[in-house]
Amino acid sequence: MSGTLDHVMMRVADLDDSLDWYRSHLDYEEKDRWEAEDFTIVYLGPEEMHEEGAMLELTHNHDGSPEEMGDAWGHIAVRVEDVYDAYAELMDAGVEDYRDPDSCGGGYAFVKDPDGHEVEIVERDHGERWSLDHTMIRVEDADAALGFWIRKFGYVPGRRWESDTFANYYAEPAGAPPEAMSVELTYNYDGRSYEMGDAWGHLCVRVDDLHDDWAQLMEREAPDYRDPASCDDMYAFTTDQDGHEIELIERESLSPPLFPE
């Protein structure tokens, strides 16, 4: 499997409000859309996306809004050249002041989208402005979490940061360009557990061959959650050791639409 992270999915209450927020504040454009009877899916990203960059999937269920944010998912992070300039730009545009750069030591900042999903702003010298840098999930066992991504998906450890009370570990596809999205695994030393909630959906890994790569995951003892046959042979799902859902999808690049007309 290629292992590239294709997208991260969030559930939103008002699709038009969310689309307006990401379009107007992060300069995202619509990459693809799927209208079903019960829900609508829209894929977003910067105009000039790297071929191994990740998209943001917004899912709106027609019968209601997400009820709980939960704390098993943390945030998405987007890249900018200067975190102070980017934060000031968002404040001038009317985004609510949440965690400014000074409150975060000057290296990053946070805002929230209309549904309360946290969006971290990080300084990077690579990737399109506002492109997705990483998605953070909280894990209850750091060794198990790192082992999952390394053994099941062939990821490699990236940067790491350890403090007195928690640690952040990054996992990324082997050989991936810096423009690809990585997974940030946050481990709190106090042994707490987390609630999944329903405001976050899943991470998605791009694979070379859905059925072959699913079979490989089964050999590596990944959870058999939703196999390809149960998903009309279009995609499949496994879960990590904490229950975060991980979709598998077969796609050569971002250029062909996911759902052909």
Side-chain angles (χ1 to χ4, degrees), residues 14-85:
D14 188 311
L15 183 58
D16 289 336
D17 281 353
S18 294
L19 289 174
D20 181 66
W21 195 90
Y22 282 98
R23 285 168 173 161
S24 60
H25 299 310
L26 303 191
D27 295 326
Y28 278 14
E29 67 175 18
E30 188 170 319
K31 301 294 186 181
D32 205 358
R33 178 184 287 250
W34 174 250
E35 300 276 0
E37 182 178 350
D38 299 325
F39 62 90
T40 301
I41 293 172
V42 179
Y43 291 88
L44 301 171
E47 180 180 0
E48 299 294 332
M49 285 187 62
H50 190 276
E51 63 180 1
E52 293 197 46
M55 295 180 291
L56 177 64
E57 175 190 334
L58 300 181
T59 293
H60 171 62
N61 292 313
H62 302 165
D63 62 355
S65 303
E67 295 182 357
E68 294 184 21
M69 185 63 63
D71 58 358
W73 294 80
H75 60 259
I76 57 171
V78 296
R79 305 177 180 111
V80 298
E81 303 87 355
D82 186 291
V83 67
Y84 281 91
D85 287 348

Side-chain angles (χ1 to χ4, degrees), residues 226-239:
R226 295 176 61 191
D227 66 11
S230 70
C231 301
D232 298 323
D233 293 312
M234 294 176 61
Y235 48 87
F237 279 88
T238 185
T239 62

Side-chain angles (χ1 to χ4, degrees), residues 45-167:
E47 180 180 0
E48 299 294 332
M49 285 187 62
H50 190 276
E51 63 180 1
E52 293 197 46
M55 295 180 291
L56 177 64
E57 175 190 334
L58 300 181
T59 293
H60 171 62
N61 292 313
H62 302 165
D63 62 355
S65 303
E67 295 182 357
E68 294 184 21
M69 185 63 63
D71 58 358
W73 294 80
H75 60 259
I76 57 171
V78 296
R79 305 177 180 111
V80 298
E81 303 87 355
D82 186 291
V83 67
Y84 281 91
D85 287 348
Y87 199 81
E89 178 183 320
L90 292 173
M91 296 302 100
D92 289 344
V95 174
E96 184 178 350
D97 183 5
Y98 177 46
R99 294 178 62 189
D100 65 18
D102 286 336
S103 71
C104 299
Y108 55 93
F110 281 89
V111 294
K112 289 185 178 181
D113 76 0
D115 291 280
H117 300 100
E118 294 189 8
V119 180
E120 183 183 11
I121 305 163
V122 296
E123 286 189 9
R124 297 286 186 260
D125 59 3
H126 57 266
E128 186 75 3
R129 192 171 194 247
W130 305 118
S131 59
L132 288 169
D133 184 77
H134 63 266
T135 295
M136 187 271 266
I137 59 178
R138 294 186 179 91
V139 301
E140 297 185 14
D141 185 321
D143 293 332
L146 284 166
F148 175 89
W149 285 99
I150 291 169
R151 179 166 182 249
K152 305 310 193 270
F153 286 96
Y155 277 30
V156 297
R159 59 192 185 278
R160 62 193 289 166
W161 188 80
E162 296 174 336
S163 75
D164 293 337
T165 58
F166 69 94

